[in-house]
Amino acid sequence: MDLRLSAEDLAFRDELRAFLRASLPAPLARRLRTGGKASPEELRAWTRTLADRGWSVPHWPVEWGGTGWSPLRQMIFRDEVQQFPAPEPLSFGASMVGPVIYTFGSQAQKERFLPRIARLDDWWCQGFSEPEAGSDLASLRTRAEPAEGGWRITGQKAWTSLGQHANWIFVLARTDRTAKKQNGISFFLVPMDSPGLKLVPTELIDGSHEVNELFFDDVFVPDENVVGELNKGWDYARFLLSNERTGQARVGLAKARLRRIRELAAAPPDGGPAPLDHPAFQRRLAELEVQALALETTLLRIVASGGGEEGEANPVSSILKLRGSELQQATAELLLDVAGPAALVWPYGPGEGAPLWGADAAPTYFNLRKLSIYGGANEIQRTIVARSILGL
Ligand SMILES: Cc1cc2nc3c(=O)[nH]c(=O)nc-3n(C[C@H](O)[C@H](O)[C@H](O)COP(=O)(O)OP(=O)(O)OC[C@H]3O[C@@H](n4cnc5c(N)ncnc54)[C@H](O)[C@@H]3O)c2cc1C
């Protein structure tokens, strides 16, 4: 297999780079390069810039705003955005509920929601996990009872990422309590301002407010907001989770962090001894760079083989999730080691005269612990690989 990019693909990559250089506001670009984040307003503005160029949802069908790019071009696009780095489109809409709606939703749902997702006019969040239903998601207890013209949802969701910014949530709820547990679940689209819906923030180890608990108390949802067939929500959720996991390879982010580590380790901004002079450090860095290359090559092989069946959950996504999350965590750990005392400013802020260059290393290290948990914990991914790919 020839894994080199063709002249046309290289020209395409140059076009992307030129666009990113010209279009991403300079202060945001600087902040992202040193480990900072985009605010919700900046993410909205950036998604609209991408949408105006026709690039906010490149992987979608063309009739709903997609580009028609080959899988390889889509991969190049993701890689360039992650390496630049520029903000990636919000995954809850663009990569999770969007594909569920265009694959399984009604025409009315497609027309109503897809254009708004493509411009981030609607901010979606994910209501799957519950206090007693994480890895064993199918045992979820949130229930939807039939009501005049729709359903009434009651129950509790946990870990709802960025729910505080969202105006819509996609929710799994039990609609048949007599069926086998995977068969009695349906997929609902619910406005976050629905009466009876309450959001309670959960504070994380890095001090940030990223996740929430959600309480549903008799929340009314009209029939038109049920996606696809009733009691088929489990199939749609598996399809969605497989897309979520594929997106978690994020090899471009790992490459960008490794490049930053190499620069900092060669010449620490505080003028201290250079870690890159030590053979043990060189070896650690080289191992991670090789792992990034191996993951990238795996992605290219998957792209070259055409991926999985349309509308089907793809077990290969579990491999990408496993290796991608482990690599992200290992690179964050190495960055923390390189920063050393410069990382100690967390959580009190940089303070007067304190070095800024390592300030994001500790929050990033702690925050990325989540990667081996969400989207299905890594232990569960190993079981999927063993059963579905190795046939054990
Ligand atoms: C930061 C963060 C953000 C999240 N965002 C969202 C969100 O937006 N929406 C949403 O719906 N959910 C979200 N989640 C929830 C996430 O999907 C769950 O945390 C995850 O599925 C694990 O479930 P759990 O936390 O209940 O752990 P448990 O399922 O209780 O697992 C605990 C441990 O036991 C292991 N384990 C469990 N069962 C098995 C088994 N059969 N074999 C081997 N090991 C096993 C697990 O791997 C894990 O190590 C988020 C989680 C985090 C941490």
Side-chain angles (χ1 to χ4, degrees):
M1 185 185 339
D2 186 354
L3 293 176
R4 279 171 305 183
L5 295 184
S6 67
E8 293 78 31
D9 288 330
L10 286 171
F12 170 72
R13 194 181 66 182
D14 289 343
E15 185 192 348
L16 291 176
R17 287 182 180 171
F19 169 79
L20 292 170
R21 268 196 305 276
S23 314
L24 188 67
L28 177 57
R30 265 195 305 278
R31 194 170 347 116
L32 294 175
R33 209 156 286 154
T34 49
K37 288 186 181 148
S39 69
E41 294 68 34
E42 286 170 326
L43 183 56
R44 261 194 204 99
W46 175 239
T47 307
R48 284 168 195 163
T49 303
L50 285 174
D52 290 341
R53 187 71 178 73
W55 289 353
S56 65
V57 282
H59 51 297
W60 284 16
V62 172
E63 63 171 314
W64 297 113
T67 52
W69 288 340
S70 66
L72 177 62
R73 292 226 165 162
Q74 290 175 35
M75 180 183 155
I76 295 172
F77 177 76
R78 264 197 310 273
D79 196 63
E80 288 303 318
V81 167
Q82 288 171 2
Q83 282 206 70
F84 191 75
E88 291 179 80
L90 187 71
S91 60
F92 301 108
S95 303
M96 296 193 208
V97 76
V100 167
I101 291 175
Y102 66 65
T103 309
F104 305 106
S106 66
Q107 185 63 20
Q109 287 168 345
K110 293 176 194 175
E111 286 169 9
R112 179 176 179 194
F113 294 115
L114 294 177
R116 294 183 60 82
I117 293 174
R119 297 188 66 79
L120 200 49
D121 291 335
D122 288 331
W123 186 302
W124 285 85
C125 62
Q126 178 184 25
F128 280 14
S129 306
E130 300 183 3
E132 302 297 327
S135 301
D136 185 15
L137 183 60
S139 63
L140 61 89
R141 286 193 294 209
T142 294
R143 61 180 198 276
E145 305 282 355
E148 175 76 40
W151 297 82
R152 291 203 166 270
I153 300 184
T154 299
Q156 181 186 351
K157 295 290 171 182
W159 300 108
T160 314
S161 295
L162 306 181
Q164 69 271 30
H165 306 304
N167 59 332
W168 281 88
I169 180 168
F170 50 92
V171 176
L172 293 180
R174 195 161 293 287
T175 34
D176 182 352
R177 277 187 273 178
T178 61
K180 187 181 149 220
K181 60 183 183 178
Q182 282 87 352
N183 294 344
I185 294 171
S186 299
F187 196 108
F188 292 90
L189 309 175
V190 185
M192 286 293 280
D193 61 359
S194 302
L197 186 48
K198 186 174 159 210
L199 178 139
V200 179
T202 308
E203 193 181 327
L204 291 187
I205 194 169
D206 65 356
S208 65
H209 174 195
E210 186 173 317
V211 293
N212 304 273
E213 282 184 293
L214 273 187
F215 296 88
F216 290 76
D217 182 8
D218 215 24
V219 173
F220 178 74
V221 185
D223 282 323
E224 69 200 35
N225 288 6
V226 178
V227 175
E229 282 180 57
L230 209 59
N231 296 325
K232 284 273 194 278
W234 185 249
D235 294 344
Y236 310 149
R238 284 183 59 237
F239 167 76
L240 180 150
L241 287 169
S242 148
N243 291 336
E244 179 183 0
R245 286 168 195 151
T246 306
Q248 283 174 16
R250 302 181 111 189
V251 69
L253 283 185
K255 285 195 295 186
R257 195 174 298 120
L258 284 167
R259 207 178 314 121
R260 183 156 173 243
I261 290 171
R262 190 168 266 287
E263 282 164 17
L264 292 171
D270 60 4
L276 205 56
D277 289 341
H278 292 270
F281 183 88
Q282 288 167 9
R283 183 178 160 174
R284 237 177 115 192
L285 180 58
E287 270 173 9
L288 292 182
E289 287 170 341
V290 169
Q291 284 179 27
L293 190 60
L295 182 60
E296 189 173 24
T297 311
T298 305
L299 257 174
L300 277 167
R301 282 170 51 209
I302 292 168
V303 164
S305 70
E309 290 293 311
E310 193 75 12
E312 288 289 316
N314 184 356
V316 169
S317 64
S318 294
I319 297 180
L320 300 179
K321 199 263 166 169
L322 262 172
R323 296 304 296 129
S325 58
E326 287 172 350
L327 186 61
Q328 293 286 342
Q329 291 179 338
T331 54
E333 189 176 337
L334 191 57
L335 180 63
L336 187 66
D337 289 350
V338 171
L344 288 178
V345 290
W346 180 81
Y348 306 105
E352 212 173 321
L356 263 175
W357 65 274
D360 63 297
T364 302
Y365 170 83
F366 285 119
N367 189 278
L368 296 193
R369 299 297 94 197
K370 69 188 177 191
L371 296 183
S372 44
I373 302 173
Y374 73 24
N378 281 13
E379 290 80 2
I380 302 300
Q381 302 319 310
R382 288 195 173 88
T383 304
I384 294 175
V385 171
R387 288 208 185 123
S388 309
I389 299 177
L390 302 176
L392 298 175

